Amino acid sequence: MTSPAPQPAGDRPAPPPRRRPGGRTARVRTQVLDAVLAELGEAGYDGLTMEAVAARAGVHRATVYRRWGDVGGLLADVLDAAGDDDWQPPDTGSLRGDLAALNQEIQDALTAQPPIVAALIAASFRSEKADRAQRRLWEDRYARCEVIAARAVRRGELPPDTDARRLLIAATAPLYHQLVLLRTPPDPRLPDQAATTAALAASAGAFTESPPVGDI
Amino acid sequence: MTSPAPQPAGDRPAPPPRRRPGGRTARVRTQVLDAVLAELGEAGYDGLTMEAVAARAGVHRATVYRRWGDVGGLLADVLDAAGDDDWQPPDTGSLRGDLAALNQEIQDALTAQPPIVAALIAASFRSEKADRAQRRLWEDRYARCEVIAARAVRRGELPPDTDARRLLIAATAPLYHQLVLLRTPPDPRLPDQAATTAALAASAGAFTESPPVGDI
C-alpha cells in the first residue's frame, strides 16, 4: 500500500477492469500489466518492448498492440490501474504521525526492489502518456491525503484555513528530492524528519493564507 | 546566475578550461559545449547526437569522439563546466530573504526557455555519466549554500546546531517536486512560500539534532 508514490499492481490483487468486469478482458489486462511490471523491474524503460510484454504475458502480440498501442500506453495503463484501489492515507491520531507514516510509505516505495516505482517515474521523462498518467496518479494520491489536514484541523492541531495541498507537498517533497533527483542513499530518519518539519511549520501557520512571518 | 539548479555556460562567459588555459583546446571546448546546450534546448536528449554537436560547433567529429566519448560524456562536461563558476547564494540580510531569493533563482532556472536545465535533469535519468555529473553539481551548489545557515546563526536567527543541509533541502525541495516531478505550472508565490515554511520550521528548531517536537 502506498501513497503519493504510484503503487503498481504487482503485489496486490489486480484492480477491477474498466469495462467488462471479470472475464477474459480483465484477465488479459491483469496478465499484461503484471508482465509490464516484471519487465520494467528487470530491464527498465530501455528494455521494455511490446514483444517482450506479450511473450511474458502469454498474450498475442496483436492484442497488445491493438489495446495499448505502444509502450507509453502500457505504462499509462499500469499507472491508471495503480490508482484503481482503495488506498487511504495512514490515520495515526496526530498530524505528525500521519505525515511520518505517509513519508515512510513513500520512502519504502521509492527504494523498493525491484525499483518499479522509480522506473515508472523515470519513464515519465520519456513518454508523454506515462507522464500524464503519473501526474493523474499523484493528483489522486495527494487529493486523498488532504484528509490528513482536515483531521488535524478537527483535532485543533491546525488553523482552519490551512492549505492542505501545500502542507502535503512540503511534507513529502524532501523524500522525492533526495531519493529521485539527488539520489542520496535512503536515510531512515528522513520520513520522520520531513514530517516533523512540516508539522512544526504548519503549527506556526506556514500554510495559511497569510502566514505569520513576523520577524523571520 | 543560479543555485542548486545547474547553470550551463550558455548565457555567460565560458568557464576556464581545465588543462590549457586559453588557446585552441579551450576554444574547442567552449564551441562544443555551447553546441550541446543549443542542441539540447532545441531537441532534448533524444535529438542530441555527436554528429549534430560536431557540425554545429564546427569541430571535426573525430575530435568530439576522442575528447568526450559519447553523448553522456558531453552532458557530463556541460554540467562540470556549469560548476566552474564563482556563483554564491544570495545575501539579503535575513534567512527568509536568502532562501526566497535562492528559490527564485531555482524556479527561474527550471522554467527558463529553452528548457536547458530541465533537459539536463531529464538526461540524468538516461545517462550514468550525466547522472554523476548532475549530482556533483547539486552537491557543490548545496555546499556553497550552507553559508546561508551560517549567516543566520551569526545573526541569532537560528540555533547554532542547525543542520544547514536539511534546512536547504526542506526550503528548495518543493520547487523541484512541483516543477520537475509533479510538473505543475509555475506559481510565482512558491519560491517565497517554500522559503517561509522552511524559515518558520527552522526558527522552531526543526533542523537541530533534537527538534522540540513537544506536542505536535
Side-chain angles (χ1 to χ4, degrees):
Chain A
M1 291 308 100
T2 196
S3 60
Q7 176 73 355
D11 296 332
R12 57 185 176 72
R18 296 276 160 85
R19 274 164 282 179
R20 279 198 270 161
R24 190 176 134 68
T25 301
R27 278 201 311 280
V28 166
R29 186 183 185 217
T30 302
Q31 285 163 242
V32 168
L33 297 191
D34 283 350
V36 173
L37 292 170
E39 291 287 322
L40 198 63
E42 279 174 20
Y45 184 93
D46 285 315
L48 193 65
T49 66
M50 302 294 273
E51 286 69 22
V53 167
R56 187 187 279 257
V59 169
H60 202 287
R61 228 170 50 162
T63 305
V64 179
Y65 275 102
R66 194 173 54 244
R67 188 150 164 202
W68 285 277
D70 56 18
V71 163
L74 286 171
L75 291 167
D77 203 31
V78 161
L79 288 157
D80 286 339
D84 277 344
D85 65 3
D86 57 0
W87 181 85
Q88 291 296 325
D91 186 0
T92 67
S94 75
L95 174 63
R96 185 191 170 199
D98 286 0
L99 295 175
L102 174 65
N103 277 349
Q104 189 62 55
E105 291 192 23
I106 294 172
Q107 175 142 308
D108 290 347
L110 291 173
T111 56
Q113 289 300 327
I116 301 216
V117 171
L120 286 167
I121 293 175
S124 75
F125 284 89
R126 309 282 292 272
S127 152
E128 283 196 20
K129 288 180 197 169
D131 174 27
R132 283 193 299 271
Q134 174 71 70
R135 286 190 278 149
R136 277 195 299 275
L137 181 56
W138 265 321
E139 174 56 34
D140 171 67
R141 292 315 205 202
Y142 277 114
R144 293 194 206 190
C145 286
E146 290 183 2
V147 69
I148 291 176
R151 288 193 301 244
V153 169
R154 279 201 299 275
R155 282 189 300 257
E157 290 183 279
L158 287 182
D161 59 341
T162 297
D163 182 328
R165 190 63 62 99
R166 280 210 285 130
L167 163 60
L168 292 165
I169 297 285
T172 59
L175 280 287
Y176 288 101
H177 193 42
Q178 295 268 26
L179 297 171
V180 180
L181 295 183
L182 304 182
R183 296 174 193 134
T184 46
D187 177 345
R189 296 167 306 174
L190 182 59
D192 187 59
Q193 284 176 342
T196 302
T197 298
L200 278 170
S203 301
F207 307 108
T208 55
E209 231 8 83
S210 315
V213 293
D215 56 354
I216 67 166
Chain B
M1 288 307 98
T2 197
S3 61
Q7 175 73 356
D11 296 334
R12 56 187 178 72
R18 295 277 159 83
R19 274 164 283 181
R20 279 198 268 159
R24 190 176 133 69
T25 300
R27 274 200 315 278
V28 166
R29 185 182 185 219
T30 301
Q31 285 163 242
V32 167
L33 297 191
D34 282 350
V36 173
L37 291 171
E39 291 288 320
L40 198 63
E42 280 175 20
Y45 184 91
D46 285 313
L48 194 64
T49 65
M50 302 294 273
E51 286 69 23
V53 168
R56 188 186 277 259
V59 170
H60 202 287
R61 231 168 51 162
T63 305
V64 178
Y65 275 102
R66 192 173 57 244
R67 188 148 165 202
W68 285 276
D70 57 18
V71 163
L74 286 171
L75 291 167
D77 203 29
V78 162
L79 289 157
D80 286 339
D84 276 344
D85 65 4
D86 56 0
W87 182 85
Q88 290 298 324
D91 186 359
T92 67
S94 76
L95 173 62
R96 184 190 171 202
D98 285 1
L99 295 176
L102 175 65
N103 277 351
Q104 189 62 55
E105 290 192 23
I106 294 173
Q107 175 141 309
D108 291 348
L110 291 173
T111 56
Q113 288 301 328
I116 301 217
V117 170
L120 287 166
I121 293 174
S124 75
F125 285 88
R126 309 281 292 273
S127 152
E128 283 196 21
K129 286 181 197 168
D131 174 28
R132 284 194 298 271
Q134 175 72 70
R135 287 191 278 148
R136 276 196 299 276
L137 181 57
W138 264 322
E139 173 57 34
D140 171 66
R141 292 315 204 205
Y142 278 114
R144 293 193 206 188
C145 286
E146 290 182 1
V147 69
I148 290 175
R151 287 192 302 241
V153 169
R154 278 201 300 274
R155 283 190 298 257
E157 290 184 277
L158 287 181
D161 60 341
T162 297
D163 183 328
R165 190 61 64 101
R166 280 210 286 128
L167 164 60
L168 292 166
I169 296 284
T172 60
L175 280 288
Y176 287 101
H177 194 41
Q178 296 267 26
L179 298 171
V180 180
L181 295 184
L182 304 182
R183 297 174 193 133
T184 47
D187 177 344
R189 297 166 306 176
L190 183 59
D192 187 58
Q193 285 176 341
T196 301
T197 298
L200 278 169
S203 301
F207 307 108
T208 55
E209 228 13 80
S210 317
V213 292
D215 55 353
I216 68 164

